[in-house]
Amino acid sequence: MPQKLTVLIIEDERNICDFISTSLTSQDYRVLTAYTGKAGLSLIASQGPDIVLLDLGLPDLDGLELIRQVRSWSAVPILVISARTGERDKVAALDLGADDYVTKPFGSSELMARIRTAIRHSHRLNGADGVQQPFCYDGLTIDFDRRQVTLHGEPIHLTQIEYKIVVYLAENSGRVVTYDAIISHVWGPYASTDNNRILRVNMANIRRKLEENPAEPRYILTEIGVGYRMREG
Ligand code: CA
């Protein structure tokens, strides 16, 4: 029998904890729960979960501080459960090394999809084969080895910068990527604040080339105030 994947939920609201726990158990995950940040940290260290679901508003420890501490020694995927409406906490959590977030209230199918994506992505990063499979989603194909993008078999001509953005989003497909992360990946860590505008211009051009209706994108979604998310390939 295959080993069950272990999910640690760090969340002080017990009804949310129970809801998540029930959904996960029915999907054959092994579930651990912690109602405080300190209990969560010690379970991460002692149990080595495959993924951590983390509420940012904990009674004893700020969730952002917990991410900072965990990331100093562990690459375990962290999925933030965010009740907060402000985008700033989400961005801060992602920039500290969280993998993604779900905003309360969320449905269990959305949560399951996010969990699968985060775990798959961490396995891919740890994979040793070094071969990058082409990204494919609904007619869009990105062949990383040939550096070629095609849409329903037709080659799409992207500028060097546009290509870099698309590839970075595809490598992270299914996950949100913050504006800052894209900018520092494409233009380097010393990029100017004007790059926000340049990124938006590039994204508009990318969507014109890829999307049938750029106002309702199919491939690259906007997470307002946070960043972009490419559909999972
Ligand atoms: Ca809370």
Side-chain angles (χ1 to χ4, degrees):
M1 211 173 95
Q3 185 93 18
K4 286 187 180 184
L5 289 167
T6 300
V7 182
L8 168 61
I9 310 167
I10 309 176
E11 161 71 87
D12 59 317
E13 282 174 68
R14 311 231 166 174
N15 56 340
I16 294 178
C17 223
D18 289 348
F19 160 72
I20 298 174
S21 179
T22 306
S23 321
L24 285 168
T25 308
S26 75
Q27 298 285 316
D28 224 24
Y29 288 94
R30 175 173 166 249
V31 179
L32 305 167
T33 51
Y35 301 124
T36 64
K38 288 208 177 88
L41 278 173
S42 97
L43 281 173
I44 294 172
S46 63
Q47 301 289 315
D50 294 287
I51 186 167
V52 175
L53 308 188
L54 173 69
D55 174 33
L56 290 181
L58 295 168
D60 61 330
L61 191 64
D62 184 47
L64 295 176
E65 178 53 31
L66 190 145
I67 296 171
R68 200 191 319 265
Q69 288 189 28
V70 170
R71 276 294 169 265
S72 67
W73 59 274
S74 168
V76 61
I78 299 174
L79 186 60
V80 166
I81 305 165
S82 174
R84 306 181 190 185
T85 45
E87 270 69 43
R88 273 179 43 202
D89 282 321
K90 294 174 185 168
V91 173
L94 293 165
D95 286 342
L96 281 172
D99 293 74
D100 208 338
Y101 60 81
V102 282
T103 307
K104 296 178 199 173
F106 50 84
S108 80
S109 59
E110 182 189 2
L111 178 67
M112 295 305 148
R114 292 286 153 77
I115 290 173
R116 281 195 299 272
T117 300
I119 291 177
R120 199 159 35 224
H121 186 79
S122 81
H123 287 174
R124 209 182 297 158
L125 288 182
N126 296 331
D129 61 1
V131 178
Q132 219 176 355
Q133 296 299 319
F135 168 91
C136 299
Y137 177 84
D138 199 15
L140 175 67
T141 301
I142 302 166
D143 188 323
F144 302 105
D145 285 343
R146 292 181 175 165
R147 300 175 61 80
Q148 193 175 53
V149 178
T150 54
L151 188 60
H152 305 297
E154 295 292 317
I156 299 289
H157 299 287
L158 299 174
T159 67
Q160 184 64 18
I161 292 289
E162 289 164 4
Y163 180 76
K164 265 188 142 176
I165 294 169
V166 167
V167 165
Y168 189 49
L169 291 172
E171 285 171 345
N172 289 285
S173 72
R175 305 161 76 218
V176 69
V177 184
T178 64
Y179 300 123
D180 281 357
I182 299 169
I183 288 167
S184 77
H185 178 82
V186 173
W187 287 281
Y190 305 111
S192 78
T193 48
D194 199 39
N195 284 88
N196 270 306
R197 188 185 58 78
I198 300 171
L199 174 58
R200 276 202 306 277
V201 171
N202 273 282
M203 186 53 69
N205 291 334
I206 290 167
R207 282 179 168 151
R208 245 182 329 102
K209 295 175 185 182
L210 298 187
E211 303 283 357
E212 209 169 304
N213 177 5
E216 283 176 37
R218 248 187 337 166
Y219 302 115
I220 301 175
L221 312 179
T222 297
E223 302 263 332
I224 294 165
V226 178
Y228 298 107
R229 181 193 302 274
M230 186 172 264
R231 298 263 201 201
E232 173 118 49

